[in-house]
Amino acid sequence: IGLAGMGSAGINGLDAAYAAPAGVAQANTAGPGWAAVGQLLQTFEGAGASKVSKSAANATAKSASKVASDPSSLIDYQEMSVRCLGKKDWDSLTVSQRTQFVASLKGLVEQRYYPRWRKIFGKGKVTFQEETSQGCDILVRTKLLLGKKDELLSWRVAERSGAQKIVSLSVANNDLLERLKSRIKARQKKVGFDALLAWMKGRSNDDSGLSSGSALALGSSTHDDTLSD
């Protein structure tokens, strides 16, 4: 589902209907999760929290000195890799295979999604909604305003060695990590691990769709400036 046809009435309806899943602790105050999201947004053409609550602004300011210029340093590709393959399959890989898989996944996301994210976040404004915890993860709910249209985004943040990093982004119930996991596992089952790596590298080099859609997550829309492709 993209921004086309998703007006303020639709967002208001989602806001009213939103309820935290079981096991999620409610917390409307911005914290380390929002700070991590804010840092990532700032790497995409200076986008980010220009319209936020005071608490959200403070949370981002506390980490201002740690803001990186490379968005990949703020995304945990190793944790994404473990979750994509599942711990059992991940543990069965050699160190070399793990390194290759992480690099392939990183390249795939960088080539196919970073240009789209720069375009959308560079033009839009992201505001903080709420921050909750779910298991060991932090869920950060935000709203993206792009022109006169807005859409809800949900970020999943994980902690590694005391640092919070992004591991997924969900738009209209389309979760980037879950979609990647589904496709990768299906391909691995069909062709094996080595051919899977070759397929991932080929997908990262294939820029078809980058010019016809600006996507944040995997989907089916082909409209420009949409959140799902």
Side-chain angles (χ1 to χ4, degrees), residues 35-115:
V37 171
Q39 289 182 61
L40 179 64
L41 290 171
Q42 289 180 45
T43 67
F44 290 115
E45 300 294 326
S50 58
K51 291 184 178 180
V52 296
S53 65
K54 182 177 180 180
S55 58
N58 289 340
T60 305
K62 289 178 181 178
S63 300
S65 61
K66 301 179 181 179
V67 172
S69 59
D70 177 17
S72 293
S73 67
L74 302 169
I75 298 175
D76 194 337
Y77 283 106
Q78 178 164 322
E79 181 62 23
M80 288 178 66
S81 297
V82 175
R83 298 189 189 194
C84 276
L85 291 176
K87 192 174 186 306
K88 182 179 179 180
D89 284 354
W90 177 260
D91 289 343
S92 69
L93 300 179
T94 65
V95 173
S96 176
Q97 287 176 320
R98 293 178 184 179
T99 300
Q100 292 181 67
F101 185 88
V102 173
S104 297
L105 181 64
K106 179 172 177 283
L108 177 65
V109 175
E110 287 179 339
Q111 295 300 318
R112 293 186 66 83
Y113 295 100
Y114 281 18

Side-chain angles (χ1 to χ4, degrees), residues 89-144:
D89 284 354
W90 177 260
D91 289 343
S92 69
L93 300 179
T94 65
V95 173
S96 176
Q97 287 176 320
R98 293 178 184 179
T99 300
Q100 292 181 67
F101 185 88
V102 173
S104 297
L105 181 64
K106 179 172 177 283
L108 177 65
V109 175
E110 287 179 339
Q111 295 300 318
R112 293 186 66 83
Y113 295 100
Y114 281 18
R116 310 175 185 198
W117 294 349
R118 287 192 176 95
K119 182 178 181 180
I120 288 182
F121 291 131
K123 292 167 61 178
K125 295 180 180 179
V126 177
T127 58
F128 174 81
Q129 299 294 295
E130 65 180 0
E131 182 168 321
T132 62
S133 61
Q134 185 176 51
C136 296
D137 293 340
I138 299 173
L139 302 182
V140 181
R141 189 165 174 262
T142 64
K143 183 180 292 185
L144 169 68

Side-chain angles (χ1 to χ4, degrees), residues 77 79-90 101 105 108-109 113 137 156 167-169 174-190 196 199-200 217-218:
Y77 283 106
E79 181 62 23
M80 288 178 66
S81 297
V82 175
R83 298 189 189 194
C84 276
L85 291 176
K87 192 174 186 306
K88 182 179 179 180
D89 284 354
W90 177 260
F101 185 88
L105 181 64
L108 177 65
V109 175
Y113 295 100
D137 293 340
R156 184 172 290 273
V167 293
S168 192
L169 168 62
N174 287 324
D175 187 272
L176 175 62
L177 183 60
E178 288 302 313
R179 294 298 296 273
L180 285 171
K181 177 180 178 179
S182 176
R183 295 183 182 188
I184 286 172
K185 292 294 288 184
R187 178 66 59 166
Q188 180 187 24
K189 183 177 180 180
K190 181 178 181 180
L196 167 66
W199 174 77
M200 291 172 67
L218 300 173

Side-chain angles (χ1 to χ4, degrees), residues 107-108 111-112 198-208:
L108 177 65
Q111 295 300 318
R112 293 186 66 83
W199 174 77
M200 291 172 67
K201 292 175 182 178
R203 295 286 290 179
S204 66
N205 293 327
D206 176 14
D207 65 356
S208 61

